[in-house]
Amino acid sequence: MANAQMFVSDLLALADIQINGNRPWDMQLRDASFFEDVLTRGNLALGEAYMAGDWECEQLDVFFCRLLASRIHDRVRPSRLIWHYLKNRILNLQSPQRSWLVGQHHYDLGNTLYQAMLDKRMVYTCGYWENAQSLEQAQIDKLELVCKKLQLKPGMRILDIGCGWGSFMKYAAENYGVECVGVTVSKEQVALGKQLCENLPIEFRLQDYRTLNESFDAIVSLGMFEHVGHKNYRRYMEVVANCLQPSGLFLLHTIGRNRDVRGTDPWIAKYIFPNGELPCLSHIDTASRDLLCAEDIHNFGADYDPTLMAWHENFERAWPDLSEHYDNTFYRMWRYYLLSCAGAFRARDLQVWQWVFSKPNLIGGYRRP
């Protein structure tokens, strides 16, 4: 155990992180017995040890930004996670039968949690902070940007794949006079979304995207592609191409990786997003090839850092009330999730891309607004 702690201490030093140091990003030990486990199970063991209270860190976001920016993870090969990576390559973890798991495990945790954490519109994707000074404005600016990129006009019929609580559909219907159909795998999202979008031309469906077979003037998908999986990328694009009118546009908003890594972080997969998988640019290009034309690719991944930090601030502020519904282990898990992800985006280990696609015959081309 002592050798493991010394090895980890030397690695952390490369990121200017100390064990039991006096800076807010330093690791404070409560129980050092988990270090050997970290060397064999990586972030899965590190996250579980944090959830158990074995270590503390005042600024987890800075801790993870330093950790990832120094690329310490390239120096450790967690041997006990080989099966985790192999099964993501071999199995279809996002099959039609398994696609409902993320809805049950994550999005159905309780609308009270998300209402407390998110902005008033309940947008659960990266905000757009170019001119914004608050979470509310960043999300409005993002929704407006998406509507402009899609060139929405009154009377158009829009499909939202992974519609959440209907934040985009509500904004588009109210501000652009369109009608929308949204599909999701979360019962809780459908129930609350119908209330929030009452009396608007919006339809919520509890439906897997693979069963869609109808025509739309434009299609949007904000933060859902992360649940599709590499074995289904082509099928996803086929569905979009089949449902999109010849003159229509498709906007895909997704988190992505800089490199081709199948599957996702094992701790995130176990505790936050089961069966999730982040694409790289080549995955999306290959899946859409010969079906759709990539008109525009916009990266504003750095904007997810302030978005996540704002969500964390809201979560911490609401915790006294939320603690009546969730235990302390959940609190530590959720804090680890939000702040570790903020650190990953700050270190530019993760990206956010908005792709705009057309059918290949769009005469005159496309201009980003």
Side-chain angles (χ1 to χ4, degrees), residues 161-339:
I161 303 177
C163 63
W165 296 272
S167 56
F168 168 78
M169 297 192 295
K170 188 173 190 292
Y171 184 89
E174 290 176 338
N175 292 278
Y176 284 83
V178 300
E179 60 179 86
C180 303
V181 173
V183 297
T184 175
V185 293
S186 167
K187 294 179 181 179
E188 291 290 324
Q189 288 183 335
V190 169
L192 181 58
K194 287 181 176 179
Q195 296 177 30
L196 296 174
C197 298
E198 191 175 6
N199 299 322
L200 288 169
I202 294 172
E203 179 186 355
F204 282 86
R205 298 180 187 173
L206 195 63
Q207 182 177 1
D208 186 288
Y209 70 92
R210 281 163 283 214
T211 64
L212 289 163
N213 185 23
E214 52 197 286
S215 182
F216 296 91
D217 298 303
I219 300 176
V220 65
S221 186
L222 306 177
M224 179 272 177
F225 198 71
E226 299 90 334
H227 305 305
V228 171
H230 70 277
K231 289 188 175 293
N232 306 296
Y233 289 158
R234 182 66 175 181
R235 176 60 181 147
Y236 178 95
M237 293 297 181
E238 288 172 345
V239 169
V240 169
N242 180 59
C243 291
L244 187 63
Q245 288 273 22
S247 60
L249 296 172
F250 165 49
L251 186 141
L252 176 66
H253 172 119
T254 182
I255 299 172
R257 289 189 180 276
N258 299 324
R259 57 198 181 280
D260 185 353
V261 180
R262 303 299 166 89
T264 192
D265 177 88
W267 184 85
I268 291 287
K270 182 174 181 179
Y271 292 100
I272 307 299
F273 296 114
N275 307 322
E277 182 168 4
L278 300 181
C280 65
L281 286 168
S282 64
H283 293 154
I284 299 173
D285 172 57
T286 299
S288 61
R289 200 169 297 170
D290 301 326
L291 294 172
L292 299 164
C293 174
E295 298 283 359
D296 186 66
I297 306 174
H298 182 186
N299 183 352
F300 55 95
D303 286 16
Y304 224 145
D305 175 14
T307 303
L308 284 154
M309 294 304 293
W311 289 347
H312 173 254
E313 183 180 345
N314 289 343
F315 174 70
E316 291 284 356
R317 187 185 305 115
W319 180 249
D321 294 327
L322 292 173
S323 63
E324 299 179 6
H325 308 283
Y326 306 93
D327 62 17
N328 191 58
T329 300
F330 180 89
Y331 166 77
R332 296 181 67 84
M333 176 188 77
W334 209 251
R335 184 174 189 269
Y336 192 87
Y337 154 52
L338 294 174
L339 294 179

Side-chain angles (χ1 to χ4, degrees), residues 31-52:
D31 181 348
S33 62
F34 67 90
F35 279 120
E36 289 186 6
D37 201 17
V38 167
L39 295 177
T40 58
R41 294 198 302 135
N43 189 46
L44 179 56
L46 188 67
E48 288 179 341
Y50 183 82
M51 289 166 61

